[in-house]
Amino acid sequence: MKANTFASSSKFMDLLLDAICVVDKEGCFVYVSAACERIFGYTPEEMVGRRMIELVFPEDRECTLQTAAQVISGEPLPHFENRYVRKDGQVVNIMWSARWSEADQVRIAVARDITRSKQAEQMQAALYAISEAVHEVDDLGTLFQRIHRIIGALLPTTHFYIALYDEASGEVSFPYHVDKSDPLLTPQQIDSDTLCNRVIRGGQTLLLTPEDEPGSAEASVACSLCGHYLKSSLGVPLRSRNGTIGALIVQSCAEHARYTEKDRELLQFVSRQVADAIERKQMMARLQHIALHDQLTGLPNRALFHDRMQLALAKARRHQGQLALFYLDLDKFKAINDTFGHMAGDLLLEKVARRLELCVRECDTLARLGGDEFVVLLESIAQPEQAALVAEKIRHAFARPFDLAGRQVHILPSIGIALFPLHGSDEGQLLRHADDAMYSAKKVKGPEAKGDLNIFMPRGTSGR
């Protein structure tokens, strides 16, 4: 079948909203109807003779060639979807119906532009996926990863950033970003001139290309993944009920995938849900922190300590390990409250917490049980002497006076220490032993005291 065979009937085909395409066995267009220019942006003259696969979105080319081979083998294809790149660089979604004409050795296909319906479908799917992620993930880091995957399915994201704005400090931080050219993005002040900060300050979406602002830093950055310069950047503010809380930035270095006004609309729509999701997860994290931490010192409270203790005991039993439990309270703390007032007492408890934190490892747990009572859980100790070394560090930490708004106050703790499995096999037994040991430490006088700090281990321990 030759091109002129179609010419006589082309005036009728040109009236169709859908495009008619005829492709030979080598994959070149031999005829296209007038609707192709509306869908693909190329005139019929520009398309005829050109290889079909050159216009297909790169990521869809392999699948398209496989489908074309099926059609050539004689298998009609009523519904096949792929993406094409228009002459102006926009990506369009196409629904194809195609069959092979053995007599004429050509593929005859009808193309329908389904970009709008596909976009609406993708947005609804994205909203559902974001809502689902909020309920499924436990932390913001995992939520950000899920959001990246969701948006990456809608738009090219060579680089991807989520920035959060702290109005009180005027600082913009980057809790999540994918950019191998700058793996450690440090916080920046909101008044610095970056795309991210411009989006947050103005509260408006910005679409940036090298042609728009040829001298801008964002438009002249080379991608570390492929070495090409960024072709397009799109930034949208993250707005919640409480105002702009940050920005979402996507960047592409692909020539064939520059962001468009449709991409801007799509990302703006999704960004509202992203902002709500982040704010909800932040609120849940704050509530969880309040429920599990002491409000005065910020240390784990009794509930969180109990959870950590159970996990540590299970691990110690599984690996036949040892752990140490310190029970600590402050000697004559009531006198501080009575002399200087409760505000001074609260300040002292905060300062005690900070000093104790410096005495333990990150893997250990320091908690406040209430009043002036603290506990320390030392996990995975090899020898009981390790507990004594930590007690010695605490002794040195309390040797210096505490500054309470200009008043220099000396205070010492009494510490009782219990070891697992030597002094108990469960949390209740270990706490009782450590508590008893702490009260014994308070009674120790003279040569039985360890310096100025009272430390006591129950009998059966190799050290005190």
Side-chain angles (χ1 to χ4, degrees), residues 118-349:
K118 196 71 177 177
Q119 188 179 44
E121 178 185 311
Q122 289 173 331
M123 284 195 292
Q124 289 303 319
L127 297 186
Y128 177 78
I130 292 170
S131 176
E132 193 175 52
V134 172
H135 292 93
E136 287 183 355
V137 303
D138 295 326
D139 60 281
L140 272 173
T142 307
L143 177 64
F144 293 149
Q145 290 178 348
R146 290 278 289 273
I147 289 172
H148 184 190
R149 286 202 299 270
I150 292 165
I151 294 176
L154 304 175
L155 303 170
T157 55
T158 309
H159 298 166
F160 183 90
Y161 308 84
I162 290 178
L164 296 181
Y165 173 49
D166 182 354
E167 189 174 3
S169 65
E171 193 172 78
V172 177
S173 60
F174 299 88
Y176 183 84
H177 70 283
V178 175
D179 180 357
K180 291 188 178 180
S181 64
D182 193 358
L184 296 174
L185 277 177
T186 56
Q188 54 190 231
Q189 289 301 119
I190 187 64
D191 56 0
S192 58
D193 190 28
T194 63
L195 173 62
C196 173
N197 290 347
R198 287 159 60 190
V199 169
I200 296 173
R201 287 199 306 266
Q204 299 295 323
T205 299
L206 290 179
L207 175 58
L208 182 69
T209 67
E211 291 81 5
D212 296 330
E213 298 187 32
S216 70
E218 290 90 354
S220 59
V221 173
C223 174
S224 59
L225 301 178
C226 64
H228 297 148
Y229 286 94
L230 292 173
K231 302 298 183 184
S232 193
S233 297
L234 180 57
V236 297
L238 294 174
R239 293 195 193 91
S240 72
R241 301 175 189 85
N242 299 317
T244 301
I245 64 170
L248 193 156
I249 310 293
V250 294
Q251 296 177 315
S252 170
C253 65
E255 183 68 45
H256 60 268
R258 295 192 178 196
Y259 301 122
T260 66
E261 286 301 318
K262 289 182 180 178
D263 296 328
R264 181 204 291 255
E265 292 173 11
L266 186 150
L267 201 58
Q268 281 181 163
F269 183 75
V270 173
S271 70
R272 297 186 187 100
Q273 318 307 317
V274 171
D276 286 343
I278 291 173
E279 200 164 56
R280 282 199 299 272
K281 190 57 70 176
Q282 286 177 326
M283 181 182 67
M284 290 167 63
R286 285 194 295 269
L287 291 175
Q288 185 177 42
H289 186 273
I290 291 171
L292 297 175
H293 290 79
D294 172 50
Q295 293 189 41
L296 176 64
T297 63
L299 296 178
N301 61 14
R302 188 182 295 270
L304 182 54
F305 168 75
H306 171 75
D307 288 345
R308 298 261 182 95
M309 187 73 180
Q310 293 303 312
L311 290 173
L313 284 170
K315 181 180 176 182
R317 294 186 191 105
R318 189 164 57 249
H319 298 289
Q320 296 184 334
Q322 299 183 78
L323 58 81
L325 177 65
F326 287 34
Y327 206 112
L328 176 156
D329 83 350
L330 304 178
D331 297 337
K332 302 178 182 178
F333 176 72
K334 185 176 182 299
I336 301 294
N337 275 335
D338 293 342
T339 303
F340 302 113
H342 287 280
M343 289 184 64
D346 288 347
L347 179 60
L348 175 61
L349 291 172

Side-chain angles (χ1 to χ4, degrees), residues 105 117 178:
Q105 293 289 290
S117 60
V178 175

Side-chain angles (χ1 to χ4, degrees), residues 346-450:
D346 288 347
L347 179 60
L348 175 61
L349 291 172
E350 290 182 65
K351 289 180 176 289
V352 165
R354 301 292 81 80
R355 284 199 195 177
L356 288 174
E357 284 176 327
L358 298 175
C359 299
V360 298
R361 304 166 298 179
E362 284 190 16
C363 64
D364 299 323
T365 296
L366 167 65
R368 181 187 176 210
L369 298 187
D372 61 329
E373 294 183 338
F374 298 81
V375 288
V376 178
L377 173 62
L378 303 180
E379 295 193 47
S380 303
I381 62 170
Q383 300 293 334
E385 285 74 19
Q386 285 181 250
L389 290 175
V390 173
E392 186 68 14
K393 287 179 69 175
I394 294 174
R395 185 181 75 83
H396 283 294
F398 279 76
R400 292 178 288 110
F402 290 89
D403 183 1
L404 303 182
R407 303 184 184 93
Q408 301 297 305
V409 173
H410 285 85
I411 195 164
L412 296 172
S414 291
I415 302 175
I417 303 175
L419 302 173
F420 171 87
L422 184 62
H423 303 123
S425 59
D426 60 38
E427 179 183 355
Q429 291 174 344
L430 292 171
L431 279 171
R432 282 193 298 274
H433 276 287
D435 189 32
D436 290 344
M438 184 267 293
Y439 278 105
S440 297
K442 282 186 175 294
K443 298 176 183 177
V444 172
K445 304 294 181 183
E448 292 183 303
K450 193 175 180 95

